[in-house]
Every structure is written in C-alpha cells, then in structure tokens.
Amino acid sequence: MIITDTHTHLYSESFNEDREEMIKRAIDANIKRFFIPAIDSTYIEDMYALEKQFPENIFLMAGLHPTHVKENFREELAIVEKQLNERKFYAVGETGVDLYWDKSTLDIQQEAFAYQIRLAKKHKLPIVIHCRDAFDEVFEVLEQEKGEGLFGVFHCFTGTFEQAQQALSYNMKLGIGGVVTFKNGKIDRFLGQIPLSEIVLETDAPYLAPAPYRGKRNESLYLVEVLEKVAAVYGSTPEEIAKITTRNSRDIFGV
Ligand SMILES: [Zn+2]
C-alpha cells in the first residue's frame, strides 16, 4: 500500500526538532509520497534541502501563498517564474485567496493567483489552490482563467456540495484533509456523493491535525486518520482508498 500526502509543509519550523524521525514515521506507515507546497522565497532553500534528503519521496511545488502576497509580490512572482524555468516542479502553489487573515490585499491576491495560473498553464503543471473565506473570490478568478490547461487541486476543501461541484467543473480535484474527521466539519455529510476519482488526501501539516489530534501539531503520519475516515464515508477499505487516491495524485502531478 502506498499512501500519498498531496499537501504537507514538511520544511516548517514546527518540525525543526524532529523532522527526520517525523518523516521516517510516516514512511514506515506507507505514506511514501509527499507533495510540498511553497509559501514564499524564504523557504526555498529548506525545500531543496528536504528534497535532497528524501529524493524518492519529496515532490516540490513553486508558488506564492495568498497570505504572503504583500507589497513585494511582483518580485516574489518573478522568483517563482525563475524557479519554474530552471528546474522541475510538480505543481504551482499554493496560490489562491485568503480573506480570513487579511481582506485589504484582495486585489493583489487575485492578481497573484491569476498570474500563477498562467505560469502553471505555460509549464503544463497543475495549480494547488488555497481558499479560506473566499469561495466567490477564488471562483471569480477561475471563471476568468478557465479552459484548456487549467487543472489541479482545491486544497483542504471545506465548502458545500454545490461549491464542490463548481470546483470540479474547473478540472480541480478536492484535497481532503483533517477537516473530514471533525465533528462539525460538514464535508463528511456529502463527500460520499463525490466520485472517488475526484479526491486526493492531504494533511496540510503542521496545521489542521485530524481527530483525535485536533488542535495539536499535525504531521504526515496522521494521514492514516484521514484515510480511515474517508474509507468509512465511502464504505470502502483503507487499502482501496489509498490505491485510488494515489492513482489520482499521479494523474494530477504526473509522477
Ligand atoms: Zn498549505
């Protein structure tokens, strides 16, 4: 069995004390593929170091996170563009819109999002979307950029059934993480109606730990909790869900 964590920030400072052991714990539990979203240029070196340490398991993205879209965002996007021209990445992201932390940057967040979609299309890569309190604002950009070459993952999907349908209509798969295990997370109520071909699994570590670790530091090992919950929702087995969602991740990221 191979389980794929399609979204995990393994380079985060939260893992400075035990990074290597934490990654090995996950690998020992069959979580063998880690897709690593970018945040901004300050993390690039740490991401490359991680890839060097676990070359078979680590797959990097290049991008600018919406909460890090500040006055200097054009310089940051130029760095992303340069990275994409210089070497292999598996996706552009994470990008999108976050209105939970800062509403004042909406315009430049949308501009940076649209720009990254165009970069992804140019490099024939998927985009990985972060959306927090901003479904309308994310859909507005996707509506404008939709069409050939647009595909990817709607990471940490937490919307309604209707919003899920709309995300799928833009050729996105839904990234299902810890929220599916929460009592008030709501997505478990309709998830079973979404075809299994349309979902991938993720932790978003170190954030959003699944039950029973809710509120604690999340790590990739806890993807097992997500896997078991998703298997229960679909009336399937963890082995079958691991197989299908790993295959889906291969279809998206090309590896
Ligand atoms: Zn993330």
Side-chain angles (χ1 to χ4, degrees):
M1 176 161 79
I2 295 177
I3 314 171
T4 302
D5 189 348
T6 59
H7 196 110
T8 180
H9 299 271
L10 296 177
Y11 53 85
S12 160
E13 299 88 344
S14 313
F15 301 120
N16 283 357
E17 303 291 304
D18 64 345
R19 184 172 289 100
E20 195 172 335
E21 300 89 275
M22 181 270 300
I23 294 174
K24 285 182 175 155
R25 276 200 287 278
I27 292 174
D28 286 344
N30 292 321
I31 301 151
K32 296 196 161 92
R33 289 155 49 85
F34 308 95
F35 288 85
I36 314 291
I39 291 180
D40 68 17
S41 62
T42 63
Y43 292 96
I44 293 174
E45 271 182 42
D46 295 337
M47 292 172 75
Y48 290 170
L50 194 63
E51 179 191 50
K52 210 168 167 194
Q53 202 181 355
F54 295 94
E56 322 246 282
N57 310 93
I58 295 287
F59 305 97
L60 301 183
M61 309 181 197
L64 178 61
H65 193 291
T67 60
H68 290 242
V69 173
K70 311 280 180 206
E71 308 73 49
N72 69 339
F73 79 100
R74 287 202 176 82
E75 288 132 64
E76 283 286 328
L77 289 175
I79 295 170
V80 173
E81 191 162 5
K82 186 164 177 280
Q83 281 184 287
L84 289 167
N85 286 331
E86 281 173 356
R87 47 152 289 165
K88 172 69 187 165
F89 288 91
Y90 294 89
V92 174
E94 55 189 293
T95 175
V97 182
D98 188 315
L99 297 180
Y100 177 82
W101 293 107
D102 189 356
K103 290 184 177 57
S104 72
T105 54
L106 173 62
D107 285 358
I108 57 174
Q109 285 192 48
Q110 284 185 313
E111 188 182 333
F113 181 26
Y115 190 82
Q116 290 178 82
I117 292 175
R118 288 176 214 141
L119 283 180
K121 286 180 177 170
K122 184 177 162 206
H123 291 271
K124 299 192 169 23
L125 290 173
I127 53 160
V128 170
I129 300 175
H130 169 109
C131 172
R132 191 160 183 200
D133 292 353
F135 273 102
D136 291 344
E137 291 78 6
V138 162
F139 287 146
E140 194 180 307
V141 175
L142 289 174
E143 193 52 40
Q144 177 191 305
E145 303 294 331
K146 72 180 175 187
E148 213 183 325
L150 178 66
F151 69 110
V153 179
F154 219 99
H155 133 70
C156 186
F157 185 80
T158 51
T160 63
F161 182 64
E162 289 69 33
Q163 286 163 334
Q165 298 290 351
Q166 193 169 348
L168 297 183
S169 78
Y170 299 113
N171 224 354
M172 296 295 141
K173 302 219 188 280
L174 307 182
I176 305 299
V179 174
V180 77
T181 68
F182 296 173
K183 277 211 168 68
N184 54 355
K186 297 194 182 102
I187 54 167
D188 56 322
R189 291 188 210 155
F190 64 81
L191 186 61
Q193 297 169 56
I194 305 288
L196 270 174
S197 58
E198 304 304 324
I199 69 164
V200 290
L201 305 183
E202 61 169 65
T203 55
D204 201 17
Y207 316 105
L208 283 170
Y213 309 103
R214 192 172 179 179
K216 304 216 168 74
R217 183 189 79 167
N218 196 6
E219 59 176 81
S220 278
L221 174 65
Y222 301 164
L223 193 59
V224 172
E225 308 295 332
V226 174
L227 175 69
E228 281 172 5
K229 174 70 186 199
V230 170
V233 166
Y234 282 93
S236 181
T237 61
E239 289 74 16
E240 188 64 15
I241 299 294
K243 193 171 135 194
I244 296 171
T245 54
T246 287
R247 185 168 61 208
N248 295 344
S249 74
R250 245 178 233 133
D251 290 346
I252 301 165
F253 297 109
V255 68

